[in-house]
Amino acid sequence: MSIKENIVQLQKNIPDTVTLVAVSKTKPVAAIQEAYDSGQRIFGENKIQEMSEKWEQLPKDIQWHMIGHVQTNKVKFMIPYVTLIHSADRRKLFKEINKQAALAHRTVDVLLQVKIAQEDTKYGMPLTEATALLEGNQLDQYPNVRVVGLMGMASFTDDMTQVATEFQVLEKLFIRFRESKNLSTLSMGMSGDYQLAIENGSTMVRVGSAIFGARNYH
């Protein structure tokens, strides 16, 4: 199936209330343009340099989402244009995003990435620390950062019961703070588990291979 056919099929499977982020990391500009021509406007990248190069070449009404782990020394390069940072996973990063956003005279939307997987390789703020950050007024110290929701990555496993349980942990945290912190986005689910994520409250899914085919890391 073509990229366009894949997007059309996904749109049939995803409710109108759920936002589709096309994960375009490692994909060429031509493939992203094909998805854009099919109506897709939101793309996710995991490396700032690669995202910036694509941003320069592609239509300016694209919304670019940073979904990968962010090094603090690279933050300044995406602040002028990034729409949403999914992977705000530590206070040091919040501080740097706030600093660079202030210098750019803008407020940047982020998702607080929470560690829900049992794998050590997965990033995310520990659940207890994330809860503490959301309680009270701690986020007020970052006036140029707007936390609009939460993001989590489930374990890489065939055990869908475990995956569902991990999604439910994040959904409970989201529901707990949704009104008091004005949270609108719960980013969970990728090509292999997005339907399960939607069943467990996800409002935003990050889909790559189901749109663009297998990734090419060469």
Side-chain angles (χ1 to χ4, degrees), residues 163-165 167-168 170-171 186 188 195-202:
V163 171
T165 300
F167 285 153
Q168 287 159 14
L170 195 59
E171 184 191 23
L186 181 55
M188 303 190 301
Q195 288 171 315
L196 186 61
I198 291 168
E199 289 170 15
N200 288 283
S202 177

Side-chain angles (χ1 to χ4, degrees), residues 137-199:
N137 301 314
Q138 291 192 45
L139 290 171
D140 292 348
Q141 62 190 301
Y142 313 111
N144 290 81
V145 177
R146 181 167 48 222
V147 177
V148 298
L150 307 177
M151 187 272 255
M153 297 176 69
S155 297
F156 184 69
T157 175
D158 292 330
D159 184 352
M160 289 296 112
T161 302
Q162 180 184 338
V163 171
T165 300
E166 291 170 356
F167 285 153
Q168 287 159 14
V169 167
L170 195 59
E171 184 191 23
K172 285 176 184 173
L173 188 69
F174 177 72
I175 290 170
R176 177 176 170 184
F177 290 103
R178 181 167 50 193
E179 290 189 12
S180 63
K181 294 301 176 186
N182 199 25
L183 306 181
S184 59
T185 301
L186 181 55
S187 175
M188 303 190 301
M190 300 185 288
S191 288
D193 57 18
Y194 72 87
Q195 288 171 315
L196 186 61
I198 291 168
E199 289 170 15

Side-chain angles (χ1 to χ4, degrees), residues 26-37:
T26 77
K27 295 302 174 185
V29 165
I32 301 172
Q33 183 68 52
E34 187 178 339
Y36 177 91
D37 292 341

Side-chain angles (χ1 to χ4, degrees), residues 87-107:
S87 43
D89 62 353
R90 58 201 187 281
R91 292 169 191 262
K92 182 181 178 184
L93 181 57
F94 270 86
K95 186 176 180 181
E96 184 63 20
I97 294 170
N98 185 68
K99 173 187 168 185
Q100 297 299 336
L103 290 172
H105 305 291
R106 65 173 299 211
T107 300

Side-chain angles (χ1 to χ4, degrees), residues 70-84:
V70 176
Q71 296 172 274
T72 50
N73 64 337
K74 301 277 181 66
V75 168
K76 60 188 175 186
F77 299 112
M78 67 174 168
I79 289 299
Y81 67 87
V82 73
T83 301
L84 180 64

